[in-house]
Amino acid sequence: MVTLTRFAAAGLAFSLLCGGCAFAQVQGKNEVSIHQTKPVDLTPVDSQANLVEELIVNARLPGPAWWKVADGDTTVYVMGVPAFMPDKLDFDDSVLRRRLDGASVLIIGQQPEVRILSLLGLIPGRGKEFMVERPMRDTLPPDLRARLERQLKARGKKADEYDKLKPALAGFIVANSRGGDGVSISLGKSVDRFRDLAKSKDIAVQPRVKKLDDYDLIGMVKSLADAPQPLQELCLDAGLKEVENGLAGVRETADQWAEGQVRAVVAAERGYQRCLASTPWIARQFKDGQDEAVGAITSALKKPGKAVAVIELRALLTEGGVLDRLRAKGFTVTAPE
């Protein structure tokens, strides 16, 4: 299993977050355009697409990369984490332990909330808002249809398995189904590890833990029911890319993260997150998490000393994202060292 963590991201970077000028574009011109039925260019709608290049720096310290936000008498150490991680992942946590010891607070960013009963409602036959009369495959471009059929064949399913569903839900199921008929999402152990470590006996002076509000992954997926065909197809493409990339790709990206290879991590295939980040209503949910993260870090900077935050990587690095907004507030933001 892989974990869908939207620190935003599932965080998702989560991811992953949309703010500033980029978010204004989503609310304005692009929000109108993606509700058209004619073909549209979805690239500028993607709230995760553009990153702050000068902040994308590989770490030299052991373990994952850290950014620093400071205001003179306080430093908040910010660890960026990928939106997708295996349940089990070893990494050098010596820097994390050192920074947690004596920190005033550990801020844990936005995560997906998965409600099992709601999740079951999206399984074929029950997600009525996603049902279609015309066979879904007949509406797809030939290459996208061929990729979907290859995945169905590889799983021992009939080519018409998802013909009654809209492409966006088919993409979600393809991305998150692991060999069975149902949808299976595992929320891994990484965030629990951060929380448990902050409260362990190994930390002499333990920080308090501030968990930011979760986002509703199922609500996000349901919001795609009314998406126009171009966005429906983008979501199917994104789901197919996620499964085509496979667990090996997720493992490779996680290992790169553990070694502080920021450039490689942000260049990795984003899978279904690209679909979510390209939908204005969903982008606003992610922005709520971004607002919370900026507010929590700003609050931590008011207390002299140090604090720690764990936020989804793309949420940190996107234009108008967490670090970009903190820098605009006048705080000193330092790239990994």
Side-chain angles (χ1 to χ4, degrees):
M1 296 290 180
V2 297
T3 183
L4 291 173
T5 50
R6 257 349 185 198
F7 288 120
L12 198 146
F14 297 138
S15 47
L16 180 64
L17 304 178
C18 176
C21 295
F23 184 64
Q25 291 175 353
V26 171
Q27 285 184 306
K29 185 175 90 174
N30 290 330
E31 181 167 315
V32 174
S33 69
I34 73 159
H35 288 289
Q36 300 176 46
T37 55
K38 64 182 181 181
V40 293
D41 179 9
L42 290 168
T43 303
V45 184
D46 184 353
S47 61
Q48 303 180 37
N50 299 318
L51 303 177
V52 181
E53 292 297 328
E54 62 265 33
L55 295 177
I56 304 174
V57 178
N58 289 344
R60 286 177 284 181
L61 293 175
W66 291 86
W67 288 257
K68 291 190 289 188
V69 184
D71 71 346
D73 60 356
T74 310
T75 298
V76 179
Y77 297 97
V78 185
M79 176 192 284
V81 295
F84 295 83
M85 295 176 69
D87 278 347
K88 296 180 180 179
L89 177 66
D90 292 327
F91 64 92
D92 187 327
D93 63 6
S94 58
V95 176
L96 172 61
R97 290 172 180 270
R98 184 168 69 248
R99 289 177 172 170
L100 284 173
D101 195 355
S104 61
V105 62
L106 166 62
I107 300 165
I108 298 177
Q110 191 182 43
Q111 292 179 266
E113 175 190 355
V114 178
R115 292 169 283 109
I116 300 301
L117 292 177
S118 294
L119 187 60
L120 292 175
L122 294 179
I123 294 175
R126 300 183 66 183
K128 294 182 179 180
E129 61 267 49
F130 281 96
M131 306 303 284
V132 293
E133 295 182 3
R134 182 184 176 189
M136 182 262 286
R137 287 177 302 143
D138 291 351
T139 70
L140 299 177
D143 60 334
L144 191 58
R145 174 173 175 159
R147 288 168 58 206
L148 173 61
E149 290 176 347
R150 279 197 298 272
Q151 283 300 322
L152 291 170
K153 182 177 180 180
R155 297 174 186 212
K157 295 181 181 295
K158 296 180 180 180
D160 63 357
E161 178 75 17
Y162 298 148
D163 271 4
K164 293 183 178 180
L165 301 181
K166 293 182 180 179
L169 180 57
F172 178 76
I173 294 173
V174 166
N176 295 297
S177 179
R178 298 293 180 255
D181 291 331
V183 176
S184 176
I185 297 177
S186 173
L187 299 182
K189 307 300 181 184
S190 298
V191 173
D192 290 341
R193 178 175 177 178
F194 301 141
R195 183 188 292 109
D196 293 345
L197 182 57
K199 295 301 182 184
S200 72
K201 294 180 181 179
D202 295 335
I203 305 299
V205 182
Q206 299 175 345
R208 64 185 180 89
V209 176
K210 179 177 179 60
K211 173 70 178 65
L212 303 186
D213 290 341
D214 294 332
Y215 65 83
D216 182 359
L217 176 62
I218 302 306
M220 289 181 174
V221 176
K222 285 186 174 181
S223 75
L224 292 168
D226 295 326
Q229 184 69 9
L231 184 54
Q232 293 279 342
E233 292 175 7
L234 181 148
C235 292
L236 176 57
D237 170 73
L240 287 168
K241 283 184 177 178
E242 183 168 322
V243 74
E244 289 162 355
N245 194 43
L247 182 58
V250 173
R251 167 63 65 178
E252 180 182 2
T253 299
D255 288 341
Q256 292 167 338
W257 167 79
E259 296 173 356
Q261 298 181 32
V262 178
R263 293 188 183 94
V265 175
V266 298
E269 171 57 45
R270 292 156 57 203
Y272 205 77
Q273 280 189 313
R274 185 165 61 94
C275 159
L276 298 179
S278 298
T279 307
W281 182 87
I282 295 173
R284 285 195 288 273
Q285 308 309 303
F286 290 149
K287 183 179 180 295
D288 289 343
Q290 174 186 329
D291 292 344
E292 273 201 276
V294 171
I297 292 173
T298 300
S299 179
L301 286 163
K302 295 177 181 178
K303 183 176 181 179
K306 65 177 180 178
V308 175
V310 178
I311 309 292
E312 194 272 330
L313 196 55
R314 293 191 79 92
L316 287 178
L317 300 179
T318 191
E319 292 180 1
V322 174
L323 293 179
D324 203 18
R325 290 178 57 185
L326 288 166
R327 187 167 56 177
K329 282 176 167 282
F331 299 118
T332 300
V333 176
T334 306
E337 54 189 22

